[in-house]
Amino acid sequence: QEMGGYDHWNKHFTFLCSLVWPLIESYWLVLASLLYIFQNDLVIVGEGRAVSAMQSFAKTLVHTGHVQYDEAASAEPLKAALQTYGELGIVRWARRFGNQGEHMVALELEPEFRGSGEDRFGPLIRLADAVSSYRRCWREQEGPEDYPEYVARMAFPHSKL
């Protein structure tokens, strides 16, 4: 990149990267979604609704030009990324009681992955930054904290999804 961009890279390496970059975007999109969800204390009930909300968020970022790869907004890689983050101990599905006493399963940030005080979401932000560093043209792209608030609100319009 320092030598003039992607045109100077080995063509085989560039081809292989082009296969991986959409997947990296999907994993980053899930982290950006999780940041918005947890920073705004949204309650996401059920994996289907979570993936649907994340897909809406991802499509919004694709259409506004913040994400390069349309396929990164597909449900399957977003679902796989969410499941991977669950297996890695970043998020979990916790059983709760709703407002009317009904049972529900809601998405939560694992206690071991929460920061404290001012750095409440620090571990999640640092992970999002680390994944973002592998995105194509990452130096030219802002982080999830830099997106206009309205972009996320378009995808997550309600406090309970």
Side-chain angles (χ1 to χ4, degrees):
Q1 221 172 351
E2 292 172 5
M3 297 173 53
Y6 301 105
D7 295 334
H8 299 289
W9 288 13
N10 176 308
K11 291 189 185 314
H12 297 289
F13 179 71
T14 303
F15 170 72
L16 293 174
C17 286
S18 71
L19 297 175
V20 175
W21 278 324
L23 190 61
I24 292 170
E25 289 266 87
S26 295
Y27 275 73
W28 177 82
L29 282 163
V30 169
L31 289 171
S33 298
L34 292 173
L35 273 170
Y36 185 80
I37 290 166
F38 295 130
Q39 286 174 336
N40 291 282
D41 296 321
L42 300 180
V43 176
I44 305 292
V45 178
E47 184 180 50
R49 287 184 179 165
V51 171
S52 178
M54 290 176 182
Q55 187 175 25
S56 176
F57 180 64
K59 286 179 179 180
T60 302
L61 292 180
V62 167
H63 293 303
T64 57
H66 293 289
V67 172
Q68 284 187 311
Y69 299 99
D70 293 350
E71 58 268 37
S74 297
E76 286 305 313
L78 296 173
K79 182 178 178 181
L82 183 59
Q83 289 173 344
T84 299
Y85 292 137
E87 292 167 7
L88 292 173
I90 296 166
V91 294
R92 67 178 172 186
W93 293 101
R95 295 186 188 278
R96 292 185 181 176
F97 290 103
N99 294 338
Q100 296 156 350
E102 73 279 9
H103 291 281
M104 61 183 204
V105 180
L107 186 63
E108 288 185 351
L109 191 59
E110 285 281 8
E112 300 84 34
F113 214 80
R114 292 182 198 141
S116 59
E118 292 283 322
D119 194 35
R120 192 172 121 185
F121 300 105
L124 195 56
I125 290 169
R126 287 188 285 282
L127 180 59
D129 287 344
V131 171
S132 180
S133 72
Y134 294 99
R135 294 172 67 203
R136 184 173 185 195
C137 300
W138 66 273
R139 287 192 173 120
E140 300 166 11
Q141 297 171 347
E142 62 276 347
E145 68 280 354
D146 297 324
Y147 294 132
E149 182 72 17
Y150 73 88
V151 171
R153 280 197 316 264
M154 285 190 287
F156 297 101
H158 306 291
S159 62
K160 183 174 181 180
L161 299 172

